[in-house]
Amino acid sequence: MKLVTPAKGTIELSNEKDPELFYLARCGLGGLGVVAEVTLQTEAESNDPEIDTLSFTELRDRLLARDPLGKEHVIRINEAEAEYWKKSEGLSKPTMKDLDYMENLLQLIEKEDIPPPPPIEQHWTARRKSPMSPVSSSGEDDIFSLVGIIMYLRTSDARQRKEITEEFFSYRSVTQTSLWDQYSAYEHWAKIEVPQDKDELPELQARMRERFPVDAYNKALMELDPNKVLSNAKLEKLFPVLEHVHQAK
């Protein structure tokens, strides 16, 4: 990855070269620099045009047929199959918390008379290595569920828009109080709003610090953009720089 920064110009980062900063920059929220170039790892194209149409067992049998009596060859196939089933087993025993959350959410909507328009969205994604990602995890097989209710501002009437916005934040507050801690839920970056109530800001900052490596991110910010060329009010509100971070610099 090539990252253009205000203080250090263009720097190159990778899993081998400054991996900590590399993974921070992969979800840098636009504050660490401008990503100018990325190199992606891809899978080699198969010489067999039918390879993508085969099931796992069909692929296994075809590979075994190449040298069915070759001991080392069969061992390699067996090891690959064992790894396949091991990973499959990990994904075939979900905790079901994702569906439990949805059931509790629907019950909460009924109880609180929340008027969300359909659909209530739920998506799944694999974990990410970037520590600033909302779905970051050290577990290779971890799966995250993303849930959201959308309240559309499909009106130009200022009073109605204000009422819808207030209703949305009321819904957010109810779900946070009732469900988030129970299911280890956190806001997605695209959905975070800086609270208008100043008393709520410290609570949000504490939540961000609990989930994300805020000090490491701030340290990188001060090294790459000390004059806050790329910064914005949202980043500065969410990630206040603590005194010991200044001293570490």
Side-chain angles (χ1 to χ4, degrees):
M1 172 193 294
K2 288 186 178 180
L3 190 69
V4 181
T5 70
K8 294 190 175 183
T10 301
I11 58 177
E12 292 191 17
L13 305 171
S14 69
N15 191 37
E16 293 76 28
K17 186 177 182 180
D18 203 342
E20 181 178 0
L21 183 55
F22 171 64
Y23 283 111
L24 280 174
R26 283 175 57 169
C27 186
L29 308 177
L32 301 181
V34 178
V35 177
E37 183 179 313
V38 293
T39 301
L40 302 178
Q41 180 179 350
T42 60
E43 296 292 335
E45 184 177 1
S46 171
N47 294 325
D48 187 341
E50 298 181 24
I51 196 72
D52 293 332
T53 66
L54 300 177
S55 67
F56 175 79
T57 53
E58 290 172 335
L59 176 60
R60 177 202 60 195
D61 292 344
R62 180 169 295 193
L63 290 173
L64 284 172
R66 292 186 175 183
D67 190 5
L69 299 179
K71 179 180 178 180
E72 294 302 321
H73 178 71
V74 173
I75 288 176
R76 290 180 62 190
I77 302 302
N78 289 343
E79 289 175 344
E81 181 172 6
E83 184 66 19
Y84 171 83
W85 290 118
K86 178 181 177 181
K87 290 186 175 181
S88 297
E89 180 182 9
L91 298 179
S92 65
K93 296 181 179 179
T95 64
M96 303 305 290
K97 283 188 175 181
D98 52 346
L99 300 184
D100 289 342
Y101 181 92
M102 293 300 288
E103 290 183 359
N104 287 333
L105 177 60
L106 292 174
Q107 293 171 6
L108 188 64
I109 288 172
E110 292 286 344
K111 177 182 177 182
E112 300 293 334
D113 291 327
I114 299 172
I120 297 176
E121 298 180 349
Q122 184 174 30
H123 307 279
W124 290 264
T125 183
R127 63 98 184 208
R128 299 292 185 267
K129 292 182 179 180
S130 173
M132 295 300 291
S133 170
V135 296
S136 64
S137 173
S138 59
E140 292 186 4
D141 296 328
D142 284 353
I143 300 293
F144 287 79
S145 176
L146 307 178
V147 178
I149 288 181
I150 300 173
M151 291 187 178
Y152 298 100
L153 293 172
R154 289 176 174 169
T155 175
S156 58
D157 184 276
R159 180 183 59 81
Q160 286 186 329
R161 291 175 68 89
K162 181 175 182 295
E163 290 176 349
I164 294 172
T165 300
E166 290 175 349
E167 183 67 29
F168 177 80
F169 279 103
S170 176
Y171 149 73
R172 178 189 179 281
S173 177
V174 169
T175 55
Q176 178 178 346
T177 302
S178 304
L179 300 176
W180 287 11
D181 287 343
Q182 179 182 352
Y183 291 94
S184 301
Y186 288 86
E187 304 93 324
H188 190 285
W189 288 121
K191 307 301 180 183
I192 294 179
E193 299 283 348
V194 177
Q196 297 180 355
D197 186 341
K198 292 183 179 180
D199 293 335
E200 295 180 9
L201 182 58
E203 181 181 343
L204 176 58
Q205 291 170 340
R207 284 181 57 78
M208 296 297 98
R209 182 170 291 278
E210 182 180 88
R211 179 66 176 89
F212 302 105
V214 174
D215 289 343
Y217 184 78
N218 280 339
K219 182 175 182 292
L221 279 176
M222 288 187 290
E223 292 177 354
L224 302 179
D225 188 17
N227 296 320
K228 300 182 179 181
V229 175
L230 300 175
S231 186
N232 57 63
K234 186 173 183 177
L235 281 179
E236 293 174 16
K237 290 285 187 180
L238 292 179
F239 303 139
V241 180
L242 300 182
E243 183 62 29
H244 70 271
V245 178
H246 280 295
Q247 294 174 354
K249 180 183 177 183

